[in-house]
Amino acid sequence: MSAEERREAVLRAAQIEFGKGGYVGTSTESIARRVGVSQPYLFRLFPSKKALFLATVERCFDDLGQLFERAAGDRTGEEALQDMGRAYNSLLDNREILQMQLQTWATACEDSDVRTLARKRLSELWHQVERISGVDTEQVIAFMGRGMLLNVFAAVGLPRTNDQLGDVLNGED
């Protein structure tokens, strides 16, 4: 495996481990073990645990941006938003991605480096949605707000479709 392939494997393993244990609760040893490398090798790829966490956050935003680009294709307006929303909703079926997103927000509350990066990347994602869709600010607010609400629904196991959600919120399973 090349160094770049190892780096990718480490980022994927870090996403899983940080997603489960958070920044503070995850050891670099557990990440190295998941990948099958030594801890010193891990630190040759990433100089610190913080650098690895930040790179993992970057990777998550990169993946999301690529997902939106693919989902929208050459569509714009409400059609693009709907396609990006459907793609995002299906992404949340992956607990590892969902947990890493939630850990990012939780860590950003306490860590200024993570907060700065998350703020920067969320802003970039916002502008990307504007560029792809061409919709106004209110529609972007609604789109991003729905995405955050979907995160919460996915985390607590609520259905993320209108037909199923109404039943659950009315006490029916």
Side-chain angles (χ1 to χ4, degrees):
M1 204 180 273
S2 72
E4 187 56 34
E5 290 169 329
R6 277 280 185 221
R7 181 178 163 75
E8 291 300 313
V10 168
L11 286 171
R12 296 297 173 201
Q15 180 179 323
I16 294 166
E17 294 297 322
F18 283 134
K20 285 193 303 187
Y23 174 66
V24 173
T26 299
S27 70
T28 54
E29 182 181 322
S30 68
I31 296 167
R33 186 174 35 250
R34 179 175 286 278
V35 179
V37 299
S38 68
Q39 210 171 6
Y41 184 81
L42 187 79
F43 285 117
R44 278 186 288 214
L45 297 173
F46 298 94
S48 66
K49 179 179 170 181
K50 171 79 72 79
L52 177 54
F53 188 83
L54 293 171
T56 305
V57 170
E58 290 271 16
R59 170 49 51 86
C60 288
F61 274 102
D62 289 347
D63 290 348
L64 185 53
Q66 291 168 11
L67 177 78
F68 282 174
E69 293 286 346
R70 281 191 311 273
D74 59 358
R75 291 170 295 287
T76 60
E78 190 63 34
E79 187 179 11
L81 290 179
Q82 288 175 1
D83 289 342
M84 289 186 292
R86 274 191 289 277
Y88 185 73
N89 195 5
S90 66
L91 178 76
L92 293 178
D93 290 329
N94 181 328
R95 296 298 282 183
E96 295 163 0
I97 292 170
L98 173 63
Q99 288 174 314
M100 184 62 206
Q101 285 184 8
L102 296 173
Q103 292 292 356
T104 298
W105 307 131
T107 306
C109 290
E110 299 298 322
D111 186 292
S112 64
D113 295 330
V114 175
R115 184 172 41 256
T116 297
L117 177 60
R119 183 185 249 172
K120 173 185 175 281
R121 293 306 305 264
L122 189 57
S123 176
E124 290 171 359
L125 189 65
W126 181 287
H127 292 298
Q128 182 183 21
V129 169
E130 282 181 324
R131 177 186 54 75
I132 290 170
S133 66
V135 301
D136 64 33
T137 300
E138 291 302 313
Q139 288 174 288
V140 175
I141 289 170
F143 176 79
M144 300 292 276
R146 269 192 302 276
M148 290 297 183
L149 185 59
L150 288 174
N151 284 358
V152 173
F153 282 10
V156 300
L158 282 173
R160 298 181 316 268
T161 60
N162 289 341
D163 57 323
Q164 295 172 333
L165 182 60
D167 294 340
V168 171
L169 293 178
N170 289 323
E172 302 169 25
D173 280 329

